[in-house]
Amino acid sequence: MDERGLDRDGTIAREGALDRVPAAFVPVVDAARAHLTETFGGPRLHSAYLYGSVPRGTAAPGVSDLDLQLALHHEPTEADRADAAAIEAALDRAFPQIDGVGILLTSTRVLLGDVERHDGGFFIACLCTPLLGPDLAAQLPRYRPTSLLARETNGDLARVLPRWRAKAAEATTDADLRLLGRLVGRRLVRTGFTLVMPRWGGWTSDLDRSAAIFGSYYPEHAEQMRVAASTGRAPSPDPAVLGTLIDDLGPWLAAEYTAVHGEKAPRP
């Protein structure tokens, strides 16, 4: 992998690996593997993956969360979601070095399908680290930092903003605001980075670096994106911060993204 996250052939390199997991998080990953095997092993689970700061080796104890993606042989059911939520809660209680656990559930049909080829497929092939089962990346293409990839990964921000506003209006506690702030901050930074990704010619998931790269192309919005990155890492319960991101940076970014890359293809 070069300094722009590319392999020698110019395709985006997979960014994580199990041998990069920081020592403090190894017991967490081992426990996650055991829970998933016990609960989902057998006919339900095709494969499981880590993603985020833990497999990238940048996780900070007490700050970082644990993110997992499960590929199921069937479409996720309410029973699957309940089992995943129970694992999330058990891991979060058992390990103080993680600040929350998130488990995504998706069928292999969706992850390997044409509609998700440049979104869910890219996510598996480049942003996820295999934890259990056969690696779906073997059935997916190599990806380059193109406008098509930009459009299909983050070209739906305009559709997301109304949902964020509704959640912000419904938030009643500092915990609610922090949870939403982390989501909003990270998504805005990822969207800002992928807006300029084809021009920059590479890939990174690092929030600060993403914000800095974006700011080199849009200096007038650089400070707002730095705030988004800070909020994505350590969210504030101040509703004014969240409001600025959702009602100021968000609409501009959504309009600019559509103008440059177009809108993401609608999902069923």
Side-chain angles (χ1 to χ4, degrees), residues 76-83:
T77 65
E78 288 306 312
D80 294 326
R81 295 185 182 93
D83 285 342

Side-chain angles (χ1 to χ4, degrees), residues 211-212 214-229 249:
F214 165 85
S216 69
Y217 291 90
Y218 292 94
E220 68 276 20
H221 295 282
E223 179 57 30
Q224 288 179 311
M225 197 59 76
R226 281 193 291 269
V227 171
L249 178 59

Side-chain angles (χ1 to χ4, degrees), residues 37-218:
T37 300
E38 179 181 357
T39 303
F40 284 94
R44 285 199 286 179
L45 184 66
H46 174 278
S47 48
Y49 306 81
L50 294 170
Y51 68 97
S53 61
V54 171
R56 291 200 305 268
T58 60
V63 176
S64 298
D65 53 358
L66 180 72
D67 297 307
L68 296 146
Q69 166 76 63
L70 304 191
L72 303 180
H73 286 292
H74 57 270
E75 301 305 319
T77 65
E78 288 306 312
D80 294 326
R81 295 185 182 93
D83 285 342
I87 294 173
E88 291 172 346
L91 291 171
D92 199 26
R93 284 194 306 267
F95 295 100
Q97 57 267 56
I98 52 174
D99 181 20
V101 181
I103 300 177
L104 300 178
L105 302 173
T106 315
S107 69
T108 56
R109 180 193 66 81
V110 169
L111 292 171
L112 295 176
D114 291 341
V115 172
E116 289 293 332
R117 183 60 49 86
H118 286 84
D119 189 8
F122 165 72
F123 179 65
I124 287 289
C126 296
L127 308 188
C128 285
T129 296
L131 181 66
L132 285 168
D135 184 6
L136 285 173
Q139 302 179 58
L140 291 162
R142 301 302 304 271
Y143 294 88
R144 297 178 184 274
T146 62
S147 182
L148 171 61
L149 185 62
R151 184 180 76 234
E152 291 305 305
T153 51
N154 289 298
D156 59 346
L157 182 61
R159 302 174 209 165
V160 175
L161 289 172
R163 296 201 297 269
W164 286 352
R165 292 190 186 100
K167 288 184 177 181
E170 295 166 0
T172 57
T173 67
D174 285 356
D176 292 338
L177 290 168
R178 286 193 178 96
L179 186 64
L180 181 59
R182 175 179 282 182
L183 171 69
V184 169
R186 291 182 180 188
R187 175 63 190 273
L188 289 178
V189 174
R190 287 197 301 269
T191 303
F193 168 71
T194 51
L195 170 63
V196 303
M197 172 189 65
R199 282 180 276 176
W200 185 67
W203 180 271
T204 180
S205 289
D206 181 86
L207 288 178
D208 290 332
R209 191 181 189 204
S210 295
I213 292 167
F214 165 85
S216 69
Y217 291 90
Y218 292 94

Side-chain angles (χ1 to χ4, degrees), residues 2-15:
D2 67 14
E3 71 279 0
R4 297 199 179 215
L6 302 178
D7 280 332
R8 290 182 179 181
D9 63 356
T11 59
I12 297 171
R14 188 171 237 164
E15 62 180 15

Side-chain angles (χ1 to χ4, degrees), residues 25-36:
F25 293 89
V26 170
V28 187
V29 172
D30 289 344
R33 185 189 289 109
H35 276 289
L36 293 174

